[in-house]
Amino acid sequence: MEQKRRRINNDVFIGVGLMLVSGFFLWESMGLHPGAGRFPRVIFTLCLALSTLVTLFGVRKTLNPALTTKEDHALTFAGTKMPLVVFAMFVVYLLLINWIGFYIATCIFIPAFMFTFGARRIIPIVAITIAVNLFVYGVFERLLNVFLP
Amino acid sequence: MFSAEMFANLFATQSIIALLIGVIGGTFIGALPGLTATMAVALLVPVTFGMEPTAALIMLSSVYVASVYGGAIPAILLHTPGSPASAATAMDGYALTQQGKGLHAVGAATVASVTGGLVGGVILLFLTPPLARLGLRFNAPEFFLIAILGLSVIGSLASDNPLKGITAGAFGLGIAMVGIDMIYGVPRFTYQITRLEAGIQLVPALIGLFSISQVMLLAETFGKKEEKERVPVDLSGSFWPPLPELIRNIPNLIRSTMVGTIVGIIPGPGADIGAWLAYNEAKRFSKNRDQFGKGAIEGIYASESGNNAAVAGAFIPLLALGIPGGAVTAVLLGGLTIQGLTPGHTLFTAHAAVTYAMLFSFMIASVLMGIVGWLVAKRLVKLASVPNVYLIPVITVLSVVGTFAINRSMFDVGVMAVFGFIGYFMRKTGFATAPIVLAIVLGPMAEGGFQRSLLMARGENLFTFFLGRPFSLPLVLLIALSLATPIFMSQMAKRRAAKAAAAAVKEDEETKG
């Protein structure tokens, strides 16, 4: 007989992850100076209790799928693919800033980003790239004396 | 209040430029769907770092007030609220646009926003100083309770899922524990990383949580077919509403402004609830109740004066007691701290010239945004259609520069990236990000108050020690009220939804009949 597989609710994984994190920091706060560790112990005990509740609610939603909400289905690979690509480009941009400096990195990042995600009109791409660099130079370097890497 | 130094601060060149940039920038950002007031203020905090305190505060507050107004323009003309505070405006506003009265509706929204901001600003000016004087009587236990009162807002910030909101807030308090302990001078959770000894800095965290996570959310639209073609909007006619209509709406404007200001003062609900409550009240008092939702101009007057008055109201507990009522005011509190200003009585004594200049600028900003709206409303419709592919890299670059500018540190930029990544997944899984910011801001105050209260109690039972103090009990009651508000609001929303559903069924039956 074919049995329908029950999908474990996301909150179970999130709750367990949060329980591990709060458990770790609670354990860490035990080793702190008694006075300095008092408040962290209270806070991470609270975190542990709340994470347990998140997990339990997740288990409840797994057992009774009628209780699931829109957010329980929001996290899918297809839905998060583009944001992850954008974040990866952002990380590469930060590495480029360290390597070749802010202005050159920005001159590469903005057009590359726009082109990757479908912008094909050269004039706005070039105009935005120049405008952003000039704005940053004018406001941060000239006005606020913030010298970028 | 009226000192020569205050006027010198208010009319200094830097202050005037800050005001203009704040109002124009805020109106434009508010008009762009997807870009929030919180994000705008978060991105501006680093820019204000090197500015004179007056100019810095003027810029931050005017961006906030103008962005709430700016959201009304696409809400009316495109049925796309630029900010959640304009959602109520969208209903009647767009209905009027479809009837060819779009510009008239924008004019009404402008007059209402200016009125809400102006009257709310006057209340802010006269109500905040006495409230701040009250703060002089507070000691460590009261400051602890004030911090808890501020944190109790979390329930409202995460009204969709209070458990997850409170969990986010608790972890935010954990994040606030990182760094050297204030009382014992011991490093906590720093793992020999010297840069962590000063703690997790507020600006990288909030830019990550609000800007980078927003960028990632906007990126979800890439590769999907979007409706870029908009129906042409008829923008003929007069911008300014006719005088008889204005006179007819004076009671509505007064009532809505009062509702908005009171809602703003209560920590939690914010400008969007202010708009909805003012709208509901206008509908209750109106003779044309049936027209609401189908193009009632009274609805626009109510919601827009309500949301702008709520902005003014939100400044009252922030400046007087340091209680941020929501995400934007939590960010603004960070802006105040960066300028070396502490909310409370000293803002109105030692820093009176700065504070009063900011309060007066709030009213000037309210008038100025009306003028800006009148000049640019037609063009803002085009701006609201700018594709995300052009916006995202610009926001990303500004987030990087803004974060770097605070400490000239790429480490902070890395922290911002981590918070951005976490923030995106939090928002995708129903965890609001604002509680974390609120907890980072209020965590040290809560801990300091708690530790000092323990020392003051000298072994006495903490519960009786707290309740034995004259100001503690009212604060405890306020905390209870703040916790009960989201439950009440949720009940109201459910009732409203049920009523709307019943009306829809009745209408459907009548059509069939």
Side-chain angles (χ1 to χ4, degrees), chain B residues 16-41:
Chain B
I16 293 169
I17 294 171
L19 183 67
L20 287 171
I21 293 174
V23 169
I24 297 169
T27 311
F28 276 73
I29 289 171
L32 285 166
L35 304 194
T36 61
T38 320
M39 198 190 91
V41 180

Side-chain angles (χ1 to χ4, degrees), chain A residues 12 15 24 26-27 50 56 96 127 136:
Chain A
V12 176
F24 172 75
L26 181 61
W27 178 70
L50 291 166
L56 291 176
L96 276 179
V136 171

Side-chain angles (χ1 to χ4, degrees), chain A residues 11 28 33 36 38 117 145, chain B residues 164 188 191 408 451 454:
Chain A
D11 285 356
E28 285 277 291
H33 173 282
R38 189 185 292 130
F117 293 107
N145 287 325
Chain B
K164 287 183 175 177
R188 299 185 300 196
Y191 304 102
R408 275 82 163 155
Q451 299 275 31
L454 279 179

Side-chain angles (χ1 to χ4, degrees), chain B residues 198-500:
Chain B
I200 299 285
Q201 300 295 300
L202 175 68
V203 174
L206 64 91
I207 291 183
L209 288 170
F210 292 123
S211 296
I212 297 300
S213 69
Q214 187 69 22
V215 156
M216 290 174 77
L217 279 177
L218 289 174
E220 287 181 354
T221 57
F222 289 162
K224 288 179 186 166
K225 279 189 180 174
E226 278 185 282
E227 277 187 33
K228 285 288 171 199
E229 293 299 318
R230 304 266 189 199
V231 179
V233 179
D234 178 10
L235 290 173
S236 56
S238 166
F239 179 87
W240 298 110
L243 198 61
E245 180 189 298
L246 273 179
I247 294 168
R248 208 172 49 242
N249 275 287
I250 287 173
N252 181 13
L253 281 169
I254 295 171
R255 186 179 48 243
S256 306
T257 302
M258 290 304 145
V259 168
T261 311
I262 294 166
V263 170
I265 294 172
I266 301 167
D272 46 345
I273 303 291
W276 278 114
L277 280 183
Y279 182 86
N280 266 357
E281 286 307 298
K283 190 176 174 183
R284 215 158 58 86
F285 278 87
S286 175
K287 288 172 190 163
N288 312 311
R289 273 178 227 172
D290 296 346
Q291 281 305 303
F292 275 71
K294 295 170 189 164
I297 200 82
E298 296 110 296
I300 293 173
Y301 280 108
S303 59
E304 282 305 304
S305 52
N307 63 23
N308 273 83
V311 171
F315 274 86
I316 295 172
L318 174 75
L319 298 176
L321 302 169
I323 302 171
V328 189
T329 38
V331 179
L332 280 167
L333 181 59
L336 277 171
T337 316
I338 284 172
Q339 290 295 333
L341 301 169
T342 314
H345 189 58
T346 51
L347 270 188
F348 299 90
T349 50
H351 305 290
V354 174
T355 312
Y356 282 113
M358 192 266 269
L359 296 182
F360 276 104
S361 80
F362 189 94
M363 289 181 268
I364 300 173
S366 298
V367 177
L368 209 56
M369 77 188 180
I371 299 168
V372 171
W374 172 52
L375 293 172
V376 301
K378 290 182 182 178
R379 285 164 194 85
L380 279 177
V381 182
K382 283 181 189 164
L383 186 75
S385 312
V386 170
N388 289 338
V389 72
Y390 294 124
L391 284 177
I392 290 178
V394 176
I395 300 168
T396 309
V397 172
L398 293 180
S399 301
V400 170
V401 181
T403 308
F404 179 83
I406 290 290
N407 293 318
R408 275 82 163 155
S409 160
M410 280 306 281
F411 180 80
D412 282 355
V413 178
V415 170
M416 180 265 286
V418 171
F419 272 95
F421 190 78
I422 294 171
Y424 169 71
F425 282 101
M426 281 178 68
R427 291 168 77 167
K428 287 299 288 179
T429 50
F431 287 85
T433 50
I436 291 203
V437 171
L438 213 57
I440 294 176
V441 174
L442 294 172
M445 185 177 165
E447 186 183 6
F450 179 71
Q451 299 275 31
R452 275 188 281 271
S453 300
L454 279 179
L455 294 173
M456 281 172 72
R458 291 181 188 169
E460 190 189 329
N461 182 314
L462 261 189
F463 191 71
T464 51
F465 172 71
F466 270 104
L467 292 185
R469 299 178 63 84
F471 287 103
S472 293
L473 197 62
L475 285 170
V476 170
L477 290 175
L478 279 174
I479 293 169
L481 179 74
S482 173
L483 290 171
T485 307
I487 300 166
F488 172 71
M489 294 290 176
S490 147
Q491 290 297 324
M492 260 185 60
K494 274 181 192 165
R495 215 178 298 162
R496 200 166 49 216
K499 260 186 188 173

